[in-house]
Amino acid sequence: GAVVSQHPSRVICKSGTSVKIECRSLDFQATTMFWYRQFPKKSLMLMATSNEGSKATYEQGVEKDKFLINHASLTLSTLTVTSAHPEDSSFYICSARASGTETQYFGPGTRLLVL
Amino acid sequence: SQKIEQNSEALNIQEGKTATLTCNYTNYSPAYLQWYRQDPGRGPVFLLLIRENEKEKRKERLKVTFDTTLKQSLFHITASQPADSATYLCALETGGTSYGKLTFGQGTILTVHP
């Protein structure tokens, strides 16, 4: 199957700093990437949809100024958590989907801990 | 309101038996229903996708059924092994303007005992 990577896998930062998470599709071109958040013992919640070359669309309740998404190429999307606070601590997972296909492939996730 | 429910939070079975997991939904008209496996601290891994006009899909020891009248999908693992122990997630995609957007159930933690 297709491979999606995320970097970093784990990050610890101080409150008020910004953190960038990268999502890459390694062996296919992803016209659409998705960002999810998962809290402990909870399911994945979609945060935003990222289309290459255009602005991301955010789900209701997700602050677009806090979670900046850039999808500059067909293999890379980035999520920047700006001015992170402890309540932003979570497991962030991206997925990627090639145009015309139905299957989404997920990255391994990034564990963010804000102190 | 829209809801996706996986029938049990946890399922324990003996090795060699068939595990059956249930996913029920209300107030959705899914174009696709997908099943994923998630191990602790990892992202979901795609297992099977079934379309709204399909009744059943198989892949090795896995089988998925989809009943749009009952609004239910069943996920079966035959000849289960301890290595099958994980959380299994169902996810719906409604298509159209929600192209690609997946809504997940809360997951069922499957434990297969030797």
Side-chain angles (χ1 to χ4, degrees), chain A residues 43, chain B residues 4-10 21-25 34-36 75 87-91 104-109:
Chain A
S43 195
Chain B
I4 302 172
E5 285 185 327
Q6 294 188 237
N7 65 325
S8 54
E9 190 174 329
L21 286 67
T22 305
C23 178
N24 295 292
Y25 59 93
Q34 304 185 38
W35 284 88
Y36 288 83
F75 177 76
T87 297
Y88 291 86
L89 302 165
C90 70
F104 282 86
Q106 80 277 18
T108 295
I109 302 171

mmCIF file with all atom_site columns, all heavy atoms in Angstrom, chain A residues 43, chain B residues 4-10 21-25 34-36 75 87-91 104-109:
data_model
loop_
_atom_site.group_PDB
_atom_site.id
_atom_site.type_symbol
_atom_site.label_atom_id
_atom_site.label_alt_id
_atom_site.label_comp_id
_atom_site.label_asym_id
_atom_site.label_entity_id
_atom_site.label_seq_id
_atom_site.pdbx_PDB_ins_code
_atom_site.Cartn_x
_atom_site.Cartn_y
_atom_site.Cartn_z
_atom_site.occupancy
_atom_site.B_iso_or_equiv
_atom_site.pdbx_formal_charge
_atom_site.auth_seq_id
_atom_site.auth_comp_id
_atom_site.auth_asym_id
_atom_site.auth_atom_id
_atom_site.pdbx_PDB_model_num
ATOM 1   N N   . SER A 1 43  ? -11.829 8.716  19.433 1.00 0.00 ? 43  SER A N   1
ATOM 2   C CA  . SER A 1 43  ? -11.617 8.444  18.019 1.00 0.00 ? 43  SER A CA  1
ATOM 3   C C   . SER A 1 43  ? -11.026 9.659  17.313 1.00 0.00 ? 43  SER A C   1
ATOM 4   O O   . SER A 1 43  ? -10.853 10.717 17.903 1.00 0.00 ? 43  SER A O   1
ATOM 5   C CB  . SER A 1 43  ? -12.924 8.026  17.365 1.00 0.00 ? 43  SER A CB  1
ATOM 6   O OG  . SER A 1 43  ? -12.656 7.444  16.102 1.00 0.00 ? 43  SER A OG  1
ATOM 7   N N   . ILE B 2 4   ? -22.373 7.556  14.569 1.00 0.00 ? 4   ILE B N   1
ATOM 8   C CA  . ILE B 2 4   ? -21.746 6.285  14.191 1.00 0.00 ? 4   ILE B CA  1
ATOM 9   C C   . ILE B 2 4   ? -21.398 5.561  15.470 1.00 0.00 ? 4   ILE B C   1
ATOM 10  O O   . ILE B 2 4   ? -20.710 6.112  16.333 1.00 0.00 ? 4   ILE B O   1
ATOM 11  C CB  . ILE B 2 4   ? -20.453 6.510  13.383 1.00 0.00 ? 4   ILE B CB  1
ATOM 12  C CG1 . ILE B 2 4   ? -20.733 7.325  12.149 1.00 0.00 ? 4   ILE B CG1 1
ATOM 13  C CG2 . ILE B 2 4   ? -19.832 5.175  12.992 1.00 0.00 ? 4   ILE B CG2 1
ATOM 14  C CD1 . ILE B 2 4   ? -19.474 7.745  11.434 1.00 0.00 ? 4   ILE B CD1 1
ATOM 15  N N   . GLU B 2 5   ? -21.867 4.338  15.593 1.00 0.00 ? 5   GLU B N   1
ATOM 16  C CA  . GLU B 2 5   ? -21.608 3.587  16.816 1.00 0.00 ? 5   GLU B CA  1
ATOM 17  C C   . GLU B 2 5   ? -21.020 2.225  16.504 1.00 0.00 ? 5   GLU B C   1
ATOM 18  O O   . GLU B 2 5   ? -21.558 1.504  15.656 1.00 0.00 ? 5   GLU B O   1
ATOM 19  C CB  . GLU B 2 5   ? -22.909 3.413  17.611 1.00 0.00 ? 5   GLU B CB  1
ATOM 20  C CG  . GLU B 2 5   ? -23.361 4.672  18.318 1.00 0.00 ? 5   GLU B CG  1
ATOM 21  C CD  . GLU B 2 5   ? -24.578 4.444  19.193 1.00 0.00 ? 5   GLU B CD  1
ATOM 22  O OE1 . GLU B 2 5   ? -25.422 3.601  18.832 1.00 0.00 ? 5   GLU B OE1 1
ATOM 23  O OE2 . GLU B 2 5   ? -24.697 5.115  20.227 1.00 0.00 ? 5   GLU B OE2 1
ATOM 24  N N   . GLN B 2 6   ? -19.962 1.904  17.178 1.00 0.00 ? 6   GLN B N   1
ATOM 25  C CA  . GLN B 2 6   ? -19.416 0.555  17.099 1.00 0.00 ? 6   GLN B CA  1
ATOM 26  C C   . GLN B 2 6   ? -19.886 -0.168 18.345 1.00 0.00 ? 6   GLN B C   1
ATOM 27  O O   . GLN B 2 6   ? -19.733 0.318  19.463 1.00 0.00 ? 6   GLN B O   1
ATOM 28  C CB  . GLN B 2 6   ? -17.892 0.606  16.993 1.00 0.00 ? 6   GLN B CB  1
ATOM 29  C CG  . GLN B 2 6   ? -17.483 1.247  15.683 1.00 0.00 ? 6   GLN B CG  1
ATOM 30  C CD  . GLN B 2 6   ? -16.004 1.173  15.404 1.00 0.00 ? 6   GLN B CD  1
ATOM 31  O OE1 . GLN B 2 6   ? -15.355 2.179  15.215 1.00 0.00 ? 6   GLN B OE1 1
ATOM 32  N NE2 . GLN B 2 6   ? -15.463 -0.040 15.368 1.00 0.00 ? 6   GLN B NE2 1
ATOM 33  N N   . ASN B 2 7   ? -20.415 -1.357 18.134 1.00 0.00 ? 7   ASN B N   1
ATOM 34  C CA  . ASN B 2 7   ? -21.295 -1.965 19.126 1.00 0.00 ? 7   ASN B CA  1
ATOM 35  C C   . ASN B 2 7   ? -20.688 -2.143 20.492 1.00 0.00 ? 7   ASN B C   1
ATOM 36  O O   . ASN B 2 7   ? -21.373 -2.042 21.518 1.00 0.00 ? 7   ASN B O   1
ATOM 37  C CB  . ASN B 2 7   ? -21.825 -3.320 18.622 1.00 0.00 ? 7   ASN B CB  1
ATOM 38  C CG  . ASN B 2 7   ? -20.698 -4.329 18.461 1.00 0.00 ? 7   ASN B CG  1
ATOM 39  O OD1 . ASN B 2 7   ? -19.591 -3.987 18.089 1.00 0.00 ? 7   ASN B OD1 1
ATOM 40  N ND2 . ASN B 2 7   ? -21.008 -5.587 18.720 1.00 0.00 ? 7   ASN B ND2 1
ATOM 41  N N   . SER B 2 8   ? -19.394 -2.420 20.545 1.00 0.00 ? 8   SER B N   1
ATOM 42  C CA  . SER B 2 8   ? -18.831 -2.579 21.876 1.00 0.00 ? 8   SER B CA  1
ATOM 43  C C   . SER B 2 8   ? -17.467 -1.911 21.930 1.00 0.00 ? 8   SER B C   1
ATOM 44  O O   . SER B 2 8   ? -16.752 -1.846 20.944 1.00 0.00 ? 8   SER B O   1
ATOM 45  C CB  . SER B 2 8   ? -18.720 -4.049 22.259 1.00 0.00 ? 8   SER B CB  1
ATOM 46  O OG  . SER B 2 8   ? -18.013 -4.769 21.286 1.00 0.00 ? 8   SER B OG  1
ATOM 47  N N   . GLU B 2 9   ? -17.159 -1.445 23.115 1.00 0.00 ? 9   GLU B N   1
ATOM 48  C CA  . GLU B 2 9   ? -15.862 -0.801 23.303 1.00 0.00 ? 9   GLU B CA  1
ATOM 49  C C   . GLU B 2 9   ? -14.748 -1.830 23.269 1.00 0.00 ? 9   GLU B C   1
ATOM 50  O O   . GLU B 2 9   ? -13.645 -1.553 22.812 1.00 0.00 ? 9   GLU B O   1
ATOM 51  C CB  . GLU B 2 9   ? -15.861 -0.078 24.649 1.00 0.00 ? 9   GLU B CB  1
ATOM 52  C CG  . GLU B 2 9   ? -14.662 0.829  24.855 1.00 0.00 ? 9   GLU B CG  1
ATOM 53  C CD  . GLU B 2 9   ? -14.775 1.642  26.124 1.00 0.00 ? 9   GLU B CD  1
ATOM 54  O OE1 . GLU B 2 9   ? -15.908 1.978  26.518 1.00 0.00 ? 9   GLU B OE1 1
ATOM 55  O OE2 . GLU B 2 9   ? -13.737 1.923  26.726 1.00 0.00 ? 9   GLU B OE2 1
ATOM 56  N N   . ALA B 2 10  ? -15.050 -3.033 23.749 1.00 0.00 ? 10  ALA B N   1
ATOM 57  C CA  . ALA B 2 10  ? -14.030 -4.073 23.820 1.00 0.00 ? 10  ALA B CA  1
ATOM 58  C C   . ALA B 2 10  ? -14.636 -5.424 23.486 1.00 0.00 ? 10  ALA B C   1
ATOM 59  O O   . ALA B 2 10  ? -15.802 -5.686 23.794 1.00 0.00 ? 10  ALA B O   1
ATOM 60  C CB  . ALA B 2 10  ? -13.398 -4.114 25.205 1.00 0.00 ? 10  ALA B CB  1
ATOM 61  N N   . LEU B 2 21  ? -17.263 -7.614 14.472 1.00 0.00 ? 21  LEU B N   1
ATOM 62  C CA  . LEU B 2 21  ? -17.408 -6.259 14.982 1.00 0.00 ? 21  LEU B CA  1
ATOM 63  C C   . LEU B 2 21  ? -18.518 -5.571 14.203 1.00 0.00 ? 21  LEU B C   1
ATOM 64  O O   . LEU B 2 21  ? -18.687 -5.801 13.002 1.00 0.00 ? 21  LEU B O   1
ATOM 65  C CB  . LEU B 2 21  ? -16.109 -5.471 14.819 1.00 0.00 ? 21  LEU B CB  1
ATOM 66  C CG  . LEU B 2 21  ? -14.941 -5.805 15.756 1.00 0.00 ? 21  LEU B CG  1
ATOM 67  C CD1 . LEU B 2 21  ? -14.384 -7.206 15.513 1.00 0.00 ? 21  LEU B CD1 1
ATOM 68  C CD2 . LEU B 2 21  ? -13.847 -4.768 15.620 1.00 0.00 ? 21  LEU B CD2 1
ATOM 69  N N   . THR B 2 22  ? -19.259 -4.709 14.889 1.00 0.00 ? 22  THR B N   1
ATOM 70  C CA  . THR B 2 22  ? -20.420 -4.067 14.287 1.00 0.00 ? 22  THR B CA  1
ATOM 71  C C   . THR B 2 22  ? -20.256 -2.564 14.256 1.00 0.00 ? 22  THR B C   1
ATOM 72  O O   . THR B 2 22  ? -19.729 -1.960 15.200 1.00 0.00 ? 22  THR B O   1
ATOM 73  C CB  . THR B 2 22  ? -21.690 -4.419 15.078 1.00 0.00 ? 22  THR B CB  1
ATOM 74  O OG1 . THR B 2 22  ? -21.813 -5.826 15.170 1.00 0.00 ? 22  THR B OG1 1
ATOM 75  C CG2 . THR B 2 22  ? -22.932 -3.849 14.414 1.00 0.00 ? 22  THR B CG2 1
ATOM 76  N N   . CYS B 2 23  ? -20.715 -1.981 13.174 1.00 0.00 ? 23  CYS B N   1
ATOM 77  C CA  . CYS B 2 23  ? -20.720 -0.525 13.017 1.00 0.00 ? 23  CYS B CA  1
ATOM 78  C C   . CYS B 2 23  ? -22.120 -0.117 12.554 1.00 0.00 ? 23  CYS B C   1
ATOM 79  O O   . CYS B 2 23  ? -22.578 -0.571 11.497 1.00 0.00 ? 23  CYS B O   1
ATOM 80  C CB  . CYS B 2 23  ? -19.669 -0.119 11.992 1.00 0.00 ? 23  CYS B CB  1
ATOM 81  S SG  . CYS B 2 23  ? -19.576 1.653  11.647 1.00 0.00 ? 23  CYS B SG  1
ATOM 82  N N   . ASN B 2 24  ? -22.792 0.668  13.362 1.00 0.00 ? 24  ASN B N   1
ATOM 83  C CA  . ASN B 2 24  ? -24.122 1.158  13.017 1.00 0.00 ? 24  ASN B CA  1
ATOM 84  C C   . ASN B 2 24  ? -24.084 2.672  12.837 1.00 0.00 ? 24  ASN B C   1
ATOM 85  O O   . ASN B 2 24  ? -23.333 3.363  13.532 1.00 0.00 ? 24  ASN B O   1
ATOM 86  C CB  . ASN B 2 24  ? -25.128 0.832  14.133 1.00 0.00 ? 24  ASN B CB  1
ATOM 87  C CG  . ASN B 2 24  ? -25.330 -0.657 14.294 1.00 0.00 ? 24  ASN B CG  1
ATOM 88  O OD1 . ASN B 2 24  ? -25.882 -1.318 13.423 1.00 0.00 ? 24  ASN B OD1 1
ATOM 89  N ND2 . ASN B 2 24  ? -24.873 -1.206 15.402 1.00 0.00 ? 24  ASN B ND2 1
ATOM 90  N N   . TYR B 2 25  ? -24.899 3.164  11.935 1.00 0.00 ? 25  TYR B N   1
ATOM 91  C CA  . TYR B 2 25  ? -24.921 4.609  11.727 1.00 0.00 ? 25  TYR B CA  1
ATOM 92  C C   . TYR B 2 25  ? -26.357 5.102  11.560 1.00 0.00 ? 25  TYR B C   1
ATOM 93  O O   . TYR B 2 25  ? -27.248 4.350  11.169 1.00 0.00 ? 25  TYR B O   1
ATOM 94  C CB  . TYR B 2 25  ? -24.074 5.007  10.506 1.00 0.00 ? 25  TYR B CB  1
ATOM 95  C CG  . TYR B 2 25  ? -24.500 4.376  9.209  1.00 0.00 ? 25  TYR B CG  1
ATOM 96  C CD1 . TYR B 2 25  ? -25.393 5.027  8.356  1.00 0.00 ? 25  TYR B CD1 1
ATOM 97  C CD2 . TYR B 2 25  ? -24.025 3.125  8.821  1.00 0.00 ? 25  TYR B CD2 1
ATOM 98  C CE1 . TYR B 2 25  ? -25.790 4.462  7.168  1.00 0.00 ? 25  TYR B CE1 1
ATOM 99  C CE2 . TYR B 2 25  ? -24.415 2.552  7.632  1.00 0.00 ? 25  TYR B CE2 1
ATOM 100 C CZ  . TYR B 2 25  ? -25.288 3.214  6.807  1.00 0.00 ? 25  TYR B CZ  1
ATOM 101 O OH  . TYR B 2 25  ? -25.689 2.645  5.621  1.00 0.00 ? 25  TYR B OH  1
ATOM 102 N N   . GLN B 2 34  ? -15.410 2.347  5.428  1.00 0.00 ? 34  GLN B N   1
ATOM 103 C CA  . GLN B 2 34  ? -14.061 1.790  5.491  1.00 0.00 ? 34  GLN B CA  1
ATOM 104 C C   . GLN B 2 34  ? -13.773 1.262  6.894  1.00 0.00 ? 34  GLN B C   1
ATOM 105 O O   . GLN B 2 34  ? -14.316 1.763  7.877  1.00 0.00 ? 34  GLN B O   1
ATOM 106 C CB  . GLN B 2 34  ? -13.030 2.870  5.138  1.00 0.00 ? 34  GLN B CB  1
ATOM 107 C CG  . GLN B 2 34  ? -13.294 3.510  3.777  1.00 0.00 ? 34  GLN B CG  1
ATOM 108 C CD  . GLN B 2 34  ? -12.221 4.481  3.362  1.00 0.00 ? 34  GLN B CD  1
ATOM 109 O OE1 . GLN B 2 34  ? -11.044 4.250  3.612  1.00 0.00 ? 34  GLN B OE1 1
ATOM 110 N NE2 . GLN B 2 34  ? -12.612 5.557  2.711  1.00 0.00 ? 34  GLN B NE2 1
ATOM 111 N N   . TRP B 2 35  ? -12.922 0.260  6.936  1.00 0.00 ? 35  TRP B N   1
ATOM 112 C CA  . TRP B 2 35  ? -12.454 -0.281 8.212  1.00 0.00 ? 35  TRP B CA  1
ATOM 113 C C   . TRP B 2 35  ? -10.948 -0.117 8.299  1.00 0.00 ? 35  TRP B C   1
ATOM 114 O O   . TRP B 2 35  ? -10.225 -0.355 7.324  1.00 0.00 ? 35  TRP B O   1
ATOM 115 C CB  . TRP B 2 35  ? -12.834 -1.756 8.339  1.00 0.00 ? 35  TRP B CB  1
ATOM 116 C CG  . TRP B 2 35  ? -14.285 -1.955 8.656  1.00 0.00 ? 35  TRP B CG  1
ATOM 117 C CD1 . TRP B 2 35  ? -15.316 -2.063 7.768  1.00 0.00 ? 35  TRP B CD1 1
ATOM 118 C CD2 . TRP B 2 35  ? -14.874 -2.053 9.960  1.00 0.00 ? 35  TRP B CD2 1
ATOM 119 N NE1 . TRP B 2 35  ? -16.505 -2.226 8.429  1.00 0.00 ? 35  TRP B NE1 1
ATOM 120 C CE2 . TRP B 2 35  ? -16.262 -2.224 9.775  1.00 0.00 ? 35  TRP B CE2 1
ATOM 121 C CE3 . TRP B 2 35  ? -14.366 -2.019 11.261 1.00 0.00 ? 35  TRP B CE3 1
ATOM 122 C CZ2 . TRP B 2 35  ? -17.153 -2.363 10.855 1.00 0.00 ? 35  TRP B CZ2 1
ATOM 123 C CZ3 . TRP B 2 35  ? -15.251 -2.162 12.321 1.00 0.00 ? 35  TRP B CZ3 1
ATOM 124 C CH2 . TRP B 2 35  ? -16.616 -2.334 12.113 1.00 0.00 ? 35  TRP B CH2 1
ATOM 125 N N   . TYR B 2 36  ? -10.523 0.307  9.483  1.00 0.00 ? 36  TYR B N   1
ATOM 126 C CA  . TYR B 2 36  ? -9.108  0.538  9.743  1.00 0.00 ? 36  TYR B CA  1
ATOM 127 C C   . TYR B 2 36  ? -8.702  -0.203 11.013 1.00 0.00 ? 36  TYR B C   1
ATOM 128 O O   . TYR B 2 36  ? -9.521  -0.425 11.907 1.00 0.00 ? 36  TYR B O   1
ATOM 129 C CB  . TYR B 2 36  ? -8.818  2.031  9.954  1.00 0.00 ? 36  TYR B CB  1
ATOM 130 C CG  . TYR B 2 36  ? -8.907  2.866  8.706  1.00 0.00 ? 36  TYR B CG  1
ATOM 131 C CD1 . TYR B 2 36  ? -10.129 3.338  8.249  1.00 0.00 ? 36  TYR B CD1 1
ATOM 132 C CD2 . TYR B 2 36  ? -7.769  3.193  7.983  1.00 0.00 ? 36  TYR B CD2 1
ATOM 133 C CE1 . TYR B 2 36  ? -10.217 4.117  7.106  1.00 0.00 ? 36  TYR B CE1 1
ATOM 134 C CE2 . TYR B 2 36  ? -7.836  3.973  6.837  1.00 0.00 ? 36  TYR B CE2 1
ATOM 135 C CZ  . TYR B 2 36  ? -9.069  4.429  6.410  1.00 0.00 ? 36  TYR B CZ  1
ATOM 136 O OH  . TYR B 2 36  ? -9.146  5.189  5.271  1.00 0.00 ? 36  TYR B OH  1
ATOM 137 N N   . PHE B 2 75  ? -17.857 -6.495 10.409 1.00 0.00 ? 75  PHE B N   1
ATOM 138 C CA  . PHE B 2 75  ? -16.460 -6.762 10.064 1.00 0.00 ? 75  PHE B CA  1
ATOM 139 C C   . PHE B 2 75  ? -16.062 -8.056 10.753 1.00 0.00 ? 75  PHE B C   1
ATOM 140 O O   . PHE B 2 75  ? -16.181 -8.177 11.969 1.00 0.00 ? 75  PHE B O   1
ATOM 141 C CB  . PHE B 2 75  ? -15.601 -5.593 10.550 1.00 0.00 ? 75  PHE B CB  1
ATOM 142 C CG  . PHE B 2 75  ? -14.131 -5.761 10.327 1.00 0.00 ? 75  PHE B CG  1
ATOM 143 C CD1 . PHE B 2 75  ? -13.578 -5.586 9.070  1.00 0.00 ? 75  PHE B CD1 1
ATOM 144 C CD2 . PHE B 2 75  ? -13.287 -6.079 11.384 1.00 0.00 ? 75  PHE B CD2 1
ATOM 145 C CE1 . PHE B 2 75  ? -12.215 -5.730 8.866  1.00 0.00 ? 75  PHE B CE1 1
ATOM 146 C CE2 . PHE B 2 75  ? -11.929 -6.222 11.191 1.00 0.00 ? 75  PHE B CE2 1
ATOM 147 C CZ  . PHE B 2 75  ? -11.383 -6.054 9.936  1.00 0.00 ? 75  PHE B CZ  1
ATOM 148 N N   . THR B 2 87  ? -7.164  -1.969 18.005 1.00 0.00 ? 87  THR B N   1
ATOM 149 C CA  . THR B 2 87  ? -8.431  -1.234 17.928 1.00 0.00 ? 87  THR B CA  1
ATOM 150 C C   . THR B 2 87  ? -8.856  -1.171 16.468 1.00 0.00 ? 87  THR B C   1
ATOM 151 O O   . THR B 2 87  ? -8.052  -0.868 15.589 1.00 0.00 ? 87  THR B O   1
ATOM 152 C CB  . THR B 2 87  ? -8.283  0.190  18.490 1.00 0.00 ? 87  THR B CB  1
ATOM 153 O OG1 . THR B 2 87  ? -7.953  0.121  19.869 1.00 0.00 ? 87  THR B OG1 1
ATOM 154 C CG2 . THR B 2 87  ? -9.584  0.971  18.337 1.00 0.00 ? 87  THR B CG2 1
ATOM 155 N N   . TYR B 2 88  ? -10.109 -1.476 16.217 1.00 0.00 ? 88  TYR B N   1
ATOM 156 C CA  . TYR B 2 88  ? -10.645 -1.458 14.858 1.00 0.00 ? 88  TYR B CA  1
ATOM 157 C C   . TYR B 2 88  ? -11.664 -0.335 14.741 1.00 0.00 ? 88  TYR B C   1
ATOM 158 O O   . TYR B 2 88  ? -12.576 -0.204 15.566 1.00 0.00 ? 88  TYR B O   1
ATOM 159 C CB  . TYR B 2 88  ? -11.263 -2.807 14.507 1.00 0.00 ? 88  TYR B CB  1
ATOM 160 C CG  . TYR B 2 88  ? -10.197 -3.871 14.366 1.00 0.00 ? 88  TYR B CG  1
ATOM 161 C CD1 . TYR B 2 88  ? -9.729  -4.571 15.475 1.00 0.00 ? 88  TYR B CD1 1
ATOM 162 C CD2 . TYR B 2 88  ? -9.626  -4.146 13.122 1.00 0.00 ? 88  TYR B CD2 1
ATOM 163 C CE1 . TYR B 2 88  ? -8.727  -5.521 15.353 1.00 0.00 ? 88  TYR B CE1 1
ATOM 164 C CE2 . TYR B 2 88  ? -8.627  -5.099 12.988 1.00 0.00 ? 88  TYR B CE2 1
ATOM 165 C CZ  . TYR B 2 88  ? -8.175  -5.771 14.101 1.00 0.00 ? 88  TYR B CZ  1
ATOM 166 O OH  . TYR B 2 88  ? -7.169  -6.709 13.979 1.00 0.00 ? 88  TYR B OH  1
ATOM 167 N N   . LEU B 2 89  ? -11.470 0.484  13.717 1.00 0.00 ? 89  LEU B N   1
ATOM 168 C CA  . LEU B 2 89  ? -12.291 1.668  13.515 1.00 0.00 ? 89  LEU B CA  1
ATOM 169 C C   . LEU B 2 89  ? -13.080 1.546  12.217 1.00 0.00 ? 89  LEU B C   1
ATOM 170 O O   . LEU B 2 89  ? -12.526 1.142  11.191 1.00 0.00 ? 89  LEU B O   1
ATOM 171 C CB  . LEU B 2 89  ? -11.399 2.912  13.408 1.00 0.00 ? 89  LEU B CB  1
ATOM 172 C CG  . LEU B 2 89  ? -10.470 3.222  14.579 1.00 0.00 ? 89  LEU B CG  1
ATOM 173 C CD1 . LEU B 2 89  ? -9.427  4.246  14.172 1.00 0.00 ? 89  LEU B CD1 1
ATOM 174 C CD2 . LEU B 2 89  ? -11.257 3.740  15.758 1.00 0.00 ? 89  LEU B CD2 1
ATOM 175 N N   . CYS B 2 90  ? -14.362 1.889  12.290 1.00 0.00 ? 90  CYS B N   1
ATOM 176 C CA  . CYS B 2 90  ? -15.095 2.047  11.034 1.00 0.00 ? 90  CYS B CA  1
ATOM 177 C C   . CYS B 2 90  ? -15.194 3.544  10.731 1.00 0.00 ? 90  CYS B C   1
ATOM 178 O O   . CYS B 2 90  ? -15.162 4.375  11.648 1.00 0.00 ? 90  CYS B O   1
ATOM 179 C CB  . CYS B 2 90  ? -16.480 1.399  11.092 1.00 0.00 ? 90  CYS B CB  1
ATOM 180 S SG  . CYS B 2 90  ? -17.686 2.230  12.151 1.00 0.00 ? 90  CYS B SG  1
ATOM 181 N N   . ALA B 2 91  ? -15.273 3.864  9.478  1.00 0.00 ? 91  ALA B N   1
ATOM 182 C CA  . ALA B 2 91  ? -15.328 5.264  9.064  1.00 0.00 ? 91  ALA B CA  1
ATOM 183 C C   . ALA B 2 91  ? -16.232 5.399  7.849  1.00 0.00 ? 91  ALA B C   1
ATOM 184 O O   . ALA B 2 91  ? -16.197 4.559  6.946  1.00 0.00 ? 91  ALA B O   1
ATOM 185 C CB  . ALA B 2 91  ? -13.926 5.781  8.731  1.00 0.00 ? 91  ALA B CB  1
ATOM 186 N N   . PHE B 2 104 ? -15.333 8.938  11.882 1.00 0.00 ? 104 PHE B N   1
ATOM 187 C CA  . PHE B 2 104 ? -14.968 7.680  12.516 1.00 0.00 ? 104 PHE B CA  1
ATOM 188 C C   . PHE B 2 104 ? -15.892 7.311  13.654 1.00 0.00 ? 104 PHE B C   1
ATOM 189 O O   . PHE B 2 104 ? -16.399 8.174  14.386 1.00 0.00 ? 104 PHE B O   1
ATOM 190 C CB  . PHE B 2 104 ? -13.543 7.775  13.076 1.00 0.00 ? 104 PHE B CB  1
ATOM 191 C CG  . PHE B 2 104 ? -12.468 7.639  12.040 1.00 0.00 ? 104 PHE B CG  1
ATOM 192 C CD1 . PHE B 2 104 ? -12.031 8.741  11.321 1.00 0.00 ? 104 PHE B CD1 1
ATOM 193 C CD2 . PHE B 2 104 ? -11.902 6.406  11.766 1.00 0.00 ? 104 PHE B CD2 1
ATOM 194 C CE1 . PHE B 2 104 ? -11.047 8.624  10.356 1.00 0.00 ? 104 PHE B CE1 1
ATOM 195 C CE2 . PHE B 2 104 ? -10.918 6.268  10.809 1.00 0.00 ? 104 PHE B CE2 1
ATOM 196 C CZ  . PHE B 2 104 ? -10.492 7.378  10.101 1.00 0.00 ? 104 PHE B CZ  1
ATOM 197 N N   . GLY B 2 105 ? -16.084 6.004  13.838 1.00 0.00 ? 105 GLY B N   1
ATOM 198 C CA  . GLY B 2 105 ? -16.682 5.488  15.053 1.00 0.00 ? 105 GLY B CA  1
ATOM 199 C C   . GLY B 2 105 ? -15.657 5.535  16.172 1.00 0.00 ? 105 GLY B C   1
ATOM 200 O O   . GLY B 2 105 ? -14.480 5.860  15.946 1.00 0.00 ? 105 GLY B O   1
ATOM 201 N N   . GLN B 2 106 ? -16.092 5.183  17.348 1.00 0.00 ? 106 GLN B N   1
ATOM 202 C CA  . GLN B 2 106 ? -15.207 5.313  18.510 1.00 0.00 ? 106 GLN B CA  1
ATOM 203 C C   . GLN B 2 106 ? -14.227 4.156  18.639 1.00 0.00 ? 106 GLN B C   1
ATOM 204 O O   . GLN B 2 106 ? -13.288 4.219  19.434 1.00 0.00 ? 106 GLN B O   1
ATOM 205 C CB  . GLN B 2 106 ? -16.041 5.441  19.798 1.00 0.00 ? 106 GLN B CB  1
ATOM 206 C CG  . GLN B 2 106 ? -16.581 4.138  20.344 1.00 0.00 ? 106 GLN B CG  1
ATOM 207 C CD  . GLN B 2 106 ? -17.866 3.689  19.676 1.00 0.00 ? 106 GLN B CD  1
ATOM 208 O OE1 . GLN B 2 106 ? -18.228 4.145  18.584 1.00 0.00 ? 106 GLN B OE1 1
ATOM 209 N NE2 . GLN B 2 106 ? -18.576 2.777  20.324 1.00 0.00 ? 106 GLN B NE2 1
ATOM 210 N N   . GLY B 2 107 ? -14.440 3.103  17.835 1.00 0.00 ? 107 GLY B N   1
ATOM 211 C CA  . GLY B 2 107 ? -13.491 1.995  17.846 1.00 0.00 ? 107 GLY B CA  1
ATOM 212 C C   . GLY B 2 107 ? -13.894 0.861  18.755 1.00 0.00 ? 107 GLY B C   1
ATOM 213 O O   . GLY B 2 107 ? -14.603 1.059  19.749 1.00 0.00 ? 107 GLY B O   1
ATOM 214 N N   . THR B 2 108 ? -13.480 -0.337 18.398 1.00 0.00 ? 108 THR B N   1
ATOM 215 C CA  . THR B 2 108 ? -13.632 -1.524 19.243 1.00 0.00 ? 108 THR B CA  1
ATOM 216 C C   . THR B 2 108 ? -12.253 -2.098 19.484 1.00 0.00 ? 108 THR B C   1
ATOM 217 O O   . THR B 2 108 ? -11.501 -2.348 18.543 1.00 0.00 ? 108 THR B O   1
ATOM 218 C CB  . THR B 2 108 ? -14.511 -2.587 18.569 1.00 0.00 ? 108 THR B CB  1
ATOM 219 O OG1 . THR B 2 108 ? -15.833 -2.086 18.422 1.00 0.00 ? 108 THR B OG1 1
ATOM 220 C CG2 . THR B 2 108 ? -14.553 -3.864 19.410 1.00 0.00 ? 108 THR B CG2 1
ATOM 221 N N   . ILE B 2 109 ? -11.933 -2.279 20.759 1.00 0.00 ? 109 ILE B N   1
ATOM 222 C CA  . ILE B 2 109 ? -10.638 -2.869 21.122 1.00 0.00 ? 109 ILE B CA  1
ATOM 223 C C   . ILE B 2 109 ? -10.800 -4.377 21.124 1.00 0.00 ? 109 ILE B C   1
ATOM 224 O O   . ILE B 2 109 ? -11.541 -4.936 21.941 1.00 0.00 ? 109 ILE B O   1
ATOM 225 C CB  . ILE B 2 109 ? -10.181 -2.392 22.524 1.00 0.00 ? 109 ILE B CB  1
ATOM 226 C CG1 . ILE B 2 109 ? -10.095 -0.870 22.551 1.00 0.00 ? 109 ILE B CG1 1
ATOM 227 C CG2 . ILE B 2 109 ? -8.832  -3.022 22.875 1.00 0.00 ? 109 ILE B CG2 1
ATOM 228 C CD1 . ILE B 2 109 ? -9.869  -0.300 23.937 1.00 0.00 ? 109 ILE B CD1 1
#
